[in-house]
């Protein structure tokens, strides 16, 4: 029983990272009108940036800042590409944005597997991971790293949702999500808000990179593939573009994976998690929640 | 003819084409403060294109649009909207997934510091919205949605309200309500430019009428004069 509780706590920490990733992905789908499949790849390369900065300077604050800046900068670099695709025909073209996204993902993976650390996986120093025990109760052991991850990801998710549902910026985002041409007609500055959207997503991506490096402690060039498939699956199972559904399923997948680890060898966790998602999508082909941003 | 206010929108020789198709040809039009103008014409005559080119969605091939003395022909919709022209499109002009209050807040996007006084004014004009503030806009009735679109337009500092077929899909009672609202607004000094198929109502409330056919203005004048023009009677009033 205690082991299960420990795994659930671990799962919540991992799931909250998935939930954040899916939130960023969904926000991009709704407001940016793109399938941001490259998001997890940008996160992974930001993890590399974090590792590199730690190696070079050994300064944690510098590494954290550098990670966030890398993620935001990469988003700013891809923004004109996506914008070009979306405005080329005067209509939104979500499909070609997916192809572009795949291309960006492949390029980033290639860079990681050839140029960074000779293609070897990187691992973070043990003190970065916050492995110090924060709480120990018989078999339950919560490290400070887990605790940080949990608190920060809940905080960031909360801030993200407050922005979307309680501020003027969020109202404008939801208006764009509902009808971009009407939003433009009614004086909402689409271009400026789009840049802001990429900035916000980039910032959240940087935070995710830091949390992931603290929780897992390593990264490899193939990590992007691994996460991206999960993010896409969660988003589709929850209902593409459903912010709250993504949150629920992100957490659920994290917990599910950790629990599976308890009963089966580690390599099975992916297969079983995807099998369960397959069942869900067979029963509810349009996603469990509706495709909407309604409150 | 009653005294016209200051002319705030002036269109000179506006020509617009979609590829090889000429949608508008040398349009000349003027709107003064407090004036209600109706564009009539069959489907495809160019009414919507004219409204779209004023708001900046369609760029002119030739000609100018002056708003309060400034040439706005090549401004983008966002800038034109901010400077005081508001288009309520045919499909309603509200965001259905947002609440009434959020819609009004977005109406005041560029003027959020004046939000409190603006909302007070709008609530006085349209008390019905007061009870609906927290309701999702998509659940309002058709007439209420149009009222909300008006309310939203008034949240900004709009001087010209343009409406594309506001009576479409509404019951006669609601149509009457919409036109009365427009009348109240024009009494407050708003200029109203309306594209409309409902000729009877349009003539009743408009000061002036422009008749569009195949992208050209074939007839214009005071509504009271044009009402009995043989061409209008024949084409639109069916008698």
């Amino acid at each position: 029983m205690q082991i299960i509780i420990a795994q659930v706590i671990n799962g919540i920490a991992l799931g909250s990272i998935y939930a954040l990733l899916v939130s960023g992905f969904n926000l991009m789908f709704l407001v940016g009108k793109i399938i941001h499949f490259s998001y997890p790849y940008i996160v992974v390369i930001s993890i590399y940036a974090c590792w590199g900065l730690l190696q070079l300077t050994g300064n944690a604050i510098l590494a954290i800042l550098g990670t966030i800046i890398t993620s935001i900068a990469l988003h700013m670099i891809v923004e004109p590409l996506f914008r070009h695709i979306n405005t080329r025909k005067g209509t939104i073209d979500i499909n070609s944005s997916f192809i572009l996204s795949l291309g960006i993902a492949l390029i980033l993976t290639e860079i990681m597997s050839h140029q960074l650390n000779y293609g070897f996986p990187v691992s973070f120093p043990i003190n970065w991971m916050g492995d110090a025990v924060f709480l120990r109760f018989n078999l339950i052991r919560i490290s400070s790293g887990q605790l940080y991850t949990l608190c920060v990801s809940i905080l960031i998710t909360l801030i993200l949702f407050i922005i979307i549902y309680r501020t003027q910026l969020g109202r404008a985002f939801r208006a764009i999500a509902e009808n971009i041409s009407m939003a433009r007609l009614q004086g909402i500055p689409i271009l400026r808000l789009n840049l802001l959207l990429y900035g916000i997503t980039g910032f959240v991506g940087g935070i995710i990179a830091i949390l992931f490096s603290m929780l897992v402690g390593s990264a490899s060039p193939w990590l992007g593939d691994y996460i991206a498939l999960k993010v896409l699956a969660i988003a589709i199972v929850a209902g593409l573009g459903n912010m709250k559904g993504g949150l629920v399923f992100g957490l659920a997948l994290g917990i599910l994976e950790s629990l599976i680890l308890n009963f089966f060898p580690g390599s099975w966790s992916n297969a079983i998690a995807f099998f369960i998602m397959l069942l869900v999508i067979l029963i509810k082909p349009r996603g469990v929640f509706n495709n909407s941003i309604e409150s | 003819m009653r005294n016209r206010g200051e002319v705030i929108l002036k269109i000179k020789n506006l020509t617009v084409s979609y590829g090889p198709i000429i949608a508008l040809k040398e349009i000349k039009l003027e709107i003064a403060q407090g004036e209600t103008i109706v564009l009539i014409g069959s489907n495809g005559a160019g009414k919507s294109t004219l409204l779209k080119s004023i708001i900046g969605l369609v760029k002119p091939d030739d000609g100018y649009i002056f708003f309060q003395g400034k040439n706005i022909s090549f401004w983008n919709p966002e800038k034109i909207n901010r400077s005081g022209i508001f288009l309520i499109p045919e499909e309603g002009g509200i965001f259905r997934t947002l609440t009434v209050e959020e819609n009004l807040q977005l109406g005041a996007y560029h003027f959020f510091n004046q939000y409190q006084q603006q909302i007070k004014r709008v609530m006085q004009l349209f008390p019905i919205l007061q009870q609906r503030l927290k309701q999702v806009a998509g659940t309002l009735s058709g007439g209420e949605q149009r009222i909300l679109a008006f309310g939203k337009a008034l949240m900004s500092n709009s001087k010209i309200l343009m409406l594309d077929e506001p009576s479409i899909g509404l019951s006669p009672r609601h149509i009457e309500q919409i036109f009365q609202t427009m009348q109240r607004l024009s009494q407050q000094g708003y200029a109203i430019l309306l594209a409309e198929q409902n000729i009877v109502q349009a003539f009743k409330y408009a000061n002036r009428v422009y008749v569009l056919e195949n992208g050209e203005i074939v007839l214009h004048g005071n509504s009271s004069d044009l009402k009995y023009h043989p061409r209008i009677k024949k084409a639109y009033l069916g008698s």
Side-chain angles (χ1 to χ4, degrees), chain A residues 39-227:
Chain A
Y39 192 32
Y41 295 86
I42 292 180
V43 168
V44 174
I45 214 162
S46 305
I47 297 178
Y48 270 79
C50 186
W51 173 81
L53 279 168
L54 271 181
Q55 296 286 316
L56 278 177
T57 65
N59 186 334
I61 293 167
L62 216 61
I64 288 173
L65 281 178
T67 313
I68 294 172
I69 289 170
T70 308
S71 174
I72 293 178
L74 279 169
H75 274 87
M76 289 302 153
I77 291 170
V78 298
E79 191 271 346
L81 302 175
F82 282 117
R83 192 194 331 150
H84 177 74
I85 281 221
N86 264 353
T87 52
R88 189 188 40 189
K89 292 186 223 151
T91 53
I92 304 289
D93 191 347
I94 283 196
N95 295 336
S96 18
S97 81
F98 184 54
I99 302 295
L100 176 61
S101 229
L102 273 179
I104 293 168
L106 282 175
I107 292 170
L108 292 183
T109 305
E110 285 300 303
I111 290 173
M112 284 184 282
S113 56
H114 293 303
Q115 304 299 327
L116 302 179
N117 200 26
Y118 311 102
F120 291 115
V122 297
S123 51
F124 284 80
I126 201 85
N127 56 356
W128 173 258
M129 288 172 66
D131 216 31
V133 176
F134 178 79
L135 186 82
R136 186 194 281 275
F137 183 77
N138 291 348
L139 285 173
I140 303 175
R141 175 185 172 281
I142 302 174
S143 71
S144 49
Q146 277 173 318
L147 198 75
Y148 288 146
T149 316
L150 204 58
C151 294
V152 173
S153 59
I154 288 172
L155 186 73
I156 297 287
T157 315
L158 214 61
I159 292 173
L160 198 62
F161 273 69
I162 287 173
I163 288 176
I164 294 170
Y165 288 102
R166 289 281 179 273
T167 66
Q168 185 75 344
L169 175 66
R171 272 170 229 132
F173 275 171
R174 280 182 291 147
I176 295 172
E178 184 189 321
N179 188 339
I180 189 168
S181 53
M182 187 130 79
R184 181 177 291 126
L185 204 64
Q186 303 202 340
I188 293 173
I190 307 283
L191 189 66
R192 187 143 33 98
L193 290 188
N194 209 36
L195 277 171
L196 206 55
L197 170 74
Y198 278 78
I200 291 174
T201 320
F203 176 79
V204 173
I207 299 283
I208 296 170
I210 294 160
L211 296 181
F212 201 91
S213 67
M214 283 173 70
L215 191 71
V216 180
S218 65
S220 66
W222 315 281
L223 186 61
D225 297 333
Y226 184 78
I227 311 176

Side-chain angles (χ1 to χ4, degrees), chain B residues 115-180:
Chain B
Y115 178 72
Q116 289 305 331
Q117 64 197 65
Q118 293 286 68
I119 191 128
K120 222 175 264 171
R121 198 168 61 94
V122 170
M123 287 300 132
Q124 267 170 8
L125 268 170
F126 311 118
I128 181 135
L129 295 179
Q130 181 85 58
Q131 314 136 28
R132 310 269 183 189
L133 277 179
K134 301 289 174 199
Q135 199 173 325
V136 175
T139 62
L140 297 176
S141 75
E144 287 168 344
Q145 291 190 5
R146 298 295 151 88
I147 298 284
L148 174 57
F150 275 115
K152 204 171 159 184
L154 303 192
M155 291 298 292
S156 60
N157 74 339
S158 303
K159 296 182 180 62
I160 300 180
L161 301 183
M162 302 196 294
L163 296 98
D164 198 355
E165 313 238 359
S167 66
I168 227 164
L170 288 188
S171 68
R173 191 171 63 89
H174 280 137
I175 294 176
E176 186 67 32
Q177 199 182 352
I178 294 293
F179 275 94
Q180 278 170 5

